[in-house]
């Protein structure tokens, strides 16, 4: 591939191969803060929805509840837990180093500008690694399930800032990296559900997904963030904190999904996103 006013073809590192048999409609060249050039190729490609997944023939749509958290990036209602991409472990020290060195450089100097670019390049790399790691996960979740349920993101409530002055900087970095992972996971689920004919249900963040017993429905006392497991005072069930939350999310999400399905005119497809906070009260309480 070559661009106008260029003598030879470009050296390109493809993020993914161009789909076979498509013609580029538009090319855009951009440059990010790290000084990297990007060539975006817009192609016309028809994305076919995946066949729907039901529990059995004619049964309920297959659903998964996803609890996003700190201990695990995501816990599934079947007990599976997916780790955070090891970004902080891999790049945290390097990033802190670069930031320290940036602060030692004189304002307005060329060296400072160089250090700034190096940091921007590292951030860009972290973003790429994160995107790739989450891509596999979200593709699998969307393939295997018809309905995906998450809590409407309110990251601020998930992360408490640790006490102590010296830890603040590291905690800030830690937090930025976690926040970005949840945000990216959410973004990918949203567009993949739209592409492949799935439904993403966002449960209201005030729904007591952690305190509710997924076995009997009793709502227990507030749990400290450090408590990883508990047993229900109502039915005695033993719960893993995050898996229990994921089960509650799945059940609440399916309740909302069925409400929307029953209100839909016949023949209309289910929406790719259902947001509890945007549903009219009439439907919710019906
Ligand atoms: Zn119970």
């Amino acid at each position: 591939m070559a661009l106008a006013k260029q003598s030879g073809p470009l050296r390109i590192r493809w993020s993914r191969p161009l789909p076979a048999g498509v013609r580029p409609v538009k090319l855009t060249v951009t440059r990010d803060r790290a000084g990297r050039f990007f060539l975006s190729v817009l192609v016309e490609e028809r994305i076919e929805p995946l066949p729907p997944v039901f529990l059995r023939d004619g049964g309920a749509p297959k659903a998964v509840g996803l609890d996003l958290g700190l201990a695990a990036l995501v816990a599934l209602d079947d007990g599976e837990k997916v780790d955070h991409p090891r970004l902080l472990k891999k790049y945290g020290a390097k990033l802190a180093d670069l930031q320290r060195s940036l602060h030692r450089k004189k304002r307005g100097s060329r060296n400072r500008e160089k250090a700034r670019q190096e940091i921007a390049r590292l951030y860009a790399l972290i973003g790429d690694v994160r995107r790739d790691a989450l891509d596999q996960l979200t593709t699998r979740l969307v393939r295997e399930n018809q309905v995906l349920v998450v809590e409407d993101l309110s990251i601020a409530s998930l992360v408490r800032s640790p006490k102590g002055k010296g830890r603040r900087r590291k905690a800030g970095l830690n937090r930025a990296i976690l926040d970005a992972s949840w945000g990216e996971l959410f973004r990918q689920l949203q567009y993949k559900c739209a592409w492949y004919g799935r439904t993403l249900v966002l449960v209201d963040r005030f729904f007591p997904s952690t305190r509710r017993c997924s076995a009997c429905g009793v709502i227990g006392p507030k749990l400290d963030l450090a408590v990883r497991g508990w047993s229900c005072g109502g039915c005695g069930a033993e719960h893993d904190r995050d898996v229990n939350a994921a089960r509650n999310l799945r059940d609440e999400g399916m309740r909302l999904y069925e409400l929307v399905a029953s209100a839909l005119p016949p023949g209309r497809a289910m929406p790719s996103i259902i947001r509890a906070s945007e549903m009219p009260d009439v439907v919710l309480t019906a």
Side-chain angles (χ1 to χ4, degrees), residues 213 215-216 218 232 234-237:
C213 169
C216 73
V218 159
C232 171
C235 71

Side-chain angles (χ1 to χ4, degrees), residues 18-276:
L18 277 183
V22 299
R23 280 188 67 82
V25 184
K26 189 180 158 197
L27 295 178
T28 317
V29 182
T30 51
R31 191 179 184 191
D32 71 1
R33 278 166 51 85
R36 306 182 305 175
F37 284 98
F38 288 89
L39 182 66
S40 314
V41 184
L42 180 69
V43 294
E44 275 178 352
E45 183 187 8
R46 224 190 127 69
I47 294 173
E48 298 293 339
L50 292 165
V53 222
F54 296 104
L55 286 176
R56 333 165 268 289
D57 265 349
K62 190 158 178 282
V64 64
L66 307 167
D67 180 62
L68 307 190
L70 290 172
L73 167 69
V74 46
L76 276 60
D77 61 68
D78 67 1
E80 182 186 344
K81 289 183 177 182
V82 182
D83 260 350
H84 284 272
R86 305 211 158 268
L87 300 167
L88 192 70
K89 202 169 174 189
K90 208 163 166 197
Y91 304 105
K94 171 98 178 135
L95 198 52
D97 259 13
L98 287 176
Q99 262 154 357
R100 264 194 303 275
S101 108
L102 174 76
H103 288 293
R104 284 197 301 265
K105 305 273 192 298
K106 229 176 98 188
R107 272 182 195 285
S109 69
R110 274 194 58 186
N111 278 339
R112 192 176 167 108
E113 175 55 23
K114 262 202 214 150
R116 197 196 59 73
Q117 281 225 357
E118 220 177 318
I119 291 176
R121 259 200 302 278
L122 185 57
Y123 267 115
L125 174 71
I126 293 173
D128 289 350
V129 173
R130 172 190 295 122
R131 246 187 319 281
D132 288 353
L134 297 184
D135 212 26
Q136 297 171 17
L137 172 67
T138 54
T139 293
R140 171 165 73 89
L141 291 172
V142 166
R143 278 193 174 282
E144 291 174 355
N145 297 283
Q146 186 62 32
V147 184
L148 297 93
V149 189
V150 291
E151 196 175 17
D152 217 338
L153 269 190
S154 78
I155 279 155
S157 67
L158 284 170
V159 186
R160 303 277 188 285
S161 47
K163 291 168 187 76
K165 218 177 162 191
R167 296 170 59 191
R168 184 160 298 163
R169 193 185 183 92
K170 190 168 174 215
L173 198 63
N174 195 347
R175 178 182 169 152
I177 285 180
L178 291 176
D179 283 5
S181 285
W182 290 318
E184 178 61 24
L185 184 81
F186 185 75
R187 189 187 71 84
Q188 291 186 8
L189 287 177
Q190 206 174 340
Y191 76 70
K192 287 182 186 178
C193 281
W195 279 5
Y196 296 116
R198 304 306 199 221
T199 299
L200 181 65
V201 184
L202 304 180
V203 170
D204 195 282
R205 68 191 181 87
F206 298 112
F207 174 73
S209 59
T210 305
R211 291 161 55 199
R212 184 179 180 275
C213 169
S214 58
C216 73
V218 159
I219 294 179
K222 235 186 158 94
L223 294 179
D224 193 82
L225 209 61
V227 178
R228 305 312 313 159
W230 56 287
S231 54
C232 171
C235 71
E238 298 283 331
H239 292 303
D240 171 278
R241 178 199 183 101
D242 303 333
V243 174
N244 177 63
R247 286 187 187 143
N248 281 324
L249 287 171
R250 181 201 58 205
D251 294 349
E252 174 66 4
M254 276 315 286
R255 190 181 74 83
L256 299 171
Y257 181 91
E258 298 296 351
L259 282 175
V260 171
S262 64
L264 219 57
R268 278 273 296 278
M270 283 298 283
S272 70
I273 191 161
I274 295 172
R275 215 180 210 118

